[in-house]
Amino acid sequence: MGTHSGDHSSSHYVVGLFGDMPYGAAAKAQYPNLLVDLNAHNLAFSAYDGDLKAGGDGMCSNDLYARQLSAFNSLRAPLIWSPPFGLPVARLTRA
């Protein structure tokens, strides 16, 4: 097992897992609270699995990628992102 400095013993660590969000207006309004909650814990890292929006939530625009990059960058712990198949990841890294 890995270790992480902080309040945890050397025998375990805590990770944050989330993904496939935010979908719809209510989830978009609550998403910042999730990020605050992740930052409130002494996480070794977070992992985000999936896409960034639901099919009916509009286009995959540069603005969408810029907003999500900003959200990811607001996390204090390192983030591992497993994007869905076919997503143009280069768009996220250029934002």
Side-chain angles (χ1 to χ4, degrees):
M1 288 195 159
T3 61
H4 182 68
S5 62
D7 296 335
H8 305 294
S9 72
S10 62
S11 64
H12 71 276
Y13 55 91
V14 178
V15 300
L17 304 173
F18 66 119
D20 280 343
M21 60 180 19
Y23 289 175
K28 287 177 187 175
Q30 295 169 350
Y31 190 56
N33 296 331
L34 171 71
L35 301 173
V36 168
D37 189 53
L38 289 168
N39 280 331
H41 294 81
N42 187 24
L43 302 177
F45 64 90
S46 291
Y48 184 97
D49 181 28
D51 55 18
L52 308 175
K53 66 173 204 66
D57 280 347
M59 300 294 294
C60 290
S61 65
N62 287 336
D63 184 56
L64 169 72
Y65 293 107
R67 281 192 320 269
Q68 192 61 37
L69 181 59
S70 178
F72 286 165
N73 284 337
S74 74
L75 296 171
R76 287 197 294 255
L79 173 73
I80 300 167
W81 179 36
S82 175
F85 178 76
L87 182 70
V89 176
R91 291 181 70 178
L92 192 67
T93 59
R94 287 183 285 186

